[in-house]
Amino acid sequence: MTETSRFAADTAMGAVTLNVADLDAMTRYYRDAVGLEVIDEADPRVVLGRGTRPVIVLVHSPELRHAGPREAGLFHTAILFDSKAALASAVYSVAQKHPGTFTGSSDHFVSNAFYFDDPEGNGVELYWDRDRSQWSWVHGTIEMGTVYLDPNRFLAENLTEEGMEHALPGDARVGHVHLSVGDVDTARAFYVDRLGFDETISIPGQAVFVSAGGYHHHMAMNVWNSRGAGRRQQTLGLGRVDIEVPDGDALGELGERLAHFGIDSRDDGRTVELDDPWGNRILVTAEGRG
């Protein structure tokens, strides 16, 4: 494949936009429990993140219905913390403030991950990455597993007194996004062959993981709840996934790829917006890297 057929190596995920029914409750969750800061607030929209980097954008949309459990849409938003102590602080805070929302934890070899549902049922992963020097690749596939990670032991080893009292300072960003889609082959054709990600893991008939620049995954698409799902309507839950490319050249190359494959997009020279085959909205921008 040519260099211009792929995303640039320093492509990263931007914010995830959620359509929400209860803006106040969802703001409290991502601010007070997860430990993000309100960056901007102008009804009907609240932007939360760290510093100037947006992570979650909440849009008050009470007129929308909840998505059905078998529909395409968001599987989870994965928020990446820059230290085990910061991750432990966030996990402890969510568990204390929202008991009963914890859904699991895993050592994935490349990362430690804890899973929750937010107050409106959107999946949330809180995680920390091991150094890339500790990752293992075999014939172009990243070695990731799902090994039980004892949350109580993790907290005992990494939670500080300061972290029990308030969110620790440091970087937090969207590390990756998992989507629920109707079938894996169509997802691979769109996200790898057309959009320009590299495939890093394939679970035949179940899921495909993709990234740029040798990351373990920036996005994944699975059919675990949504096999056979068709194009989604606008609902509560996922509003948009943002992807950040390094410069205008990378954005222009994406526009050329999309045009080559006949994929409808909205390109204003600074952003490219498009829908995937299930109506999940994607916005790619060449600016805004915090």
Side-chain angles (χ1 to χ4, degrees), residues 259-282:
H260 172 76
F261 288 109
I263 297 173
D264 289 336
S265 64
R266 298 159 288 282
D267 185 345
D268 63 7
R270 297 171 63 182
T271 62
V272 173
E273 190 170 18
L274 66 152
D275 291 345
D276 79 0
W278 297 275
N280 297 307
R281 182 153 296 177
I282 310 292

Side-chain angles (χ1 to χ4, degrees), residues 11-26:
T11 296
M13 302 307 294
V16 170
T17 298
L18 299 176
N19 298 320
V20 304
D22 190 331
L23 185 61
D24 291 341
M26 291 288 277

Side-chain angles (χ1 to χ4, degrees), residues 125-231:
E125 175 184 340
L126 308 178
Y127 79 111
W128 162 84
D129 273 338
R130 289 190 171 88
D131 188 82
R132 288 195 182 207
S133 65
Q134 299 179 52
W135 301 358
S136 177
W137 293 82
V138 178
H139 304 302
T141 296
I142 186 77
E143 288 197 308
M144 287 180 62
T146 301
V147 176
Y148 175 67
L149 177 64
D150 186 332
N152 293 316
R153 180 175 178 180
F154 181 87
L155 293 180
E157 293 176 348
N158 297 287
L159 183 62
T160 64
E161 287 190 16
E162 181 186 3
M164 293 177 66
E165 295 173 0
H166 56 79
L168 295 181
D171 189 37
R173 65 180 69 198
V174 175
H176 60 270
V177 177
H178 278 221
L179 298 178
S180 294
V181 299
D183 76 275
V184 173
D185 290 342
T186 301
R188 179 185 294 104
F190 180 82
Y191 282 97
V192 176
D193 299 339
R194 292 163 176 74
L195 209 55
F197 281 114
D198 299 315
E199 182 178 319
T200 60
I201 304 174
S202 175
I203 306 174
Q206 296 187 48
V208 60
F209 294 69
V210 302
S211 82
Y215 192 54
H216 52 73
H217 66 299
H218 284 115
M219 297 190 72
M221 286 62 64
N222 71 63
V223 298
W224 297 325
N225 299 325
S226 55
R227 187 181 301 277
R231 190 172 180 87

Side-chain angles (χ1 to χ4, degrees), residues 6-186:
R6 322 308 303 149
F7 272 127
D10 47 354
T11 296
M13 302 307 294
V16 170
T17 298
L18 299 176
N19 298 320
V20 304
D22 190 331
L23 185 61
D24 291 341
M26 291 288 277
T27 299
R28 287 194 299 272
Y29 176 83
Y30 285 99
R31 180 191 63 206
D32 301 339
V34 176
L36 302 178
E37 304 154 359
V38 173
I39 297 175
D40 189 30
E41 189 171 8
D43 189 56
R45 180 186 182 93
V46 176
V47 181
L48 299 104
R50 288 283 180 92
T52 60
R53 183 198 306 280
V55 175
I56 296 289
V57 179
L58 304 176
V59 179
H60 192 212
S61 309
E63 73 283 0
L64 298 179
R65 65 173 179 84
H66 284 277
R70 311 296 295 179
E71 292 182 34
L74 183 68
F75 188 72
H76 66 235
T77 301
I79 301 174
L80 173 64
F81 292 86
D82 60 359
S83 70
K84 280 188 172 183
L87 172 59
S89 176
V91 169
Y92 175 80
S93 176
V94 175
Q96 290 293 308
K97 296 179 175 70
H98 292 268
T101 63
F102 175 69
T103 59
S105 52
S106 294
D107 183 334
H108 290 304
F109 305 163
V110 297
S111 63
N112 289 165
F114 297 84
Y115 299 92
F116 298 87
D117 287 334
D118 76 13
E120 296 193 2
N122 300 293
V124 180
E125 175 184 340
L126 308 178
Y127 79 111
W128 162 84
D129 273 338
R130 289 190 171 88
D131 188 82
R132 288 195 182 207
S133 65
Q134 299 179 52
W135 301 358
S136 177
W137 293 82
V138 178
H139 304 302
T141 296
I142 186 77
E143 288 197 308
M144 287 180 62
T146 301
V147 176
Y148 175 67
L149 177 64
D150 186 332
N152 293 316
R153 180 175 178 180
F154 181 87
L155 293 180
E157 293 176 348
N158 297 287
L159 183 62
T160 64
E161 287 190 16
E162 181 186 3
M164 293 177 66
E165 295 173 0
H166 56 79
L168 295 181
D171 189 37
R173 65 180 69 198
V174 175
H176 60 270
V177 177
H178 278 221
L179 298 178
S180 294
V181 299
D183 76 275
V184 173
D185 290 342
T186 301

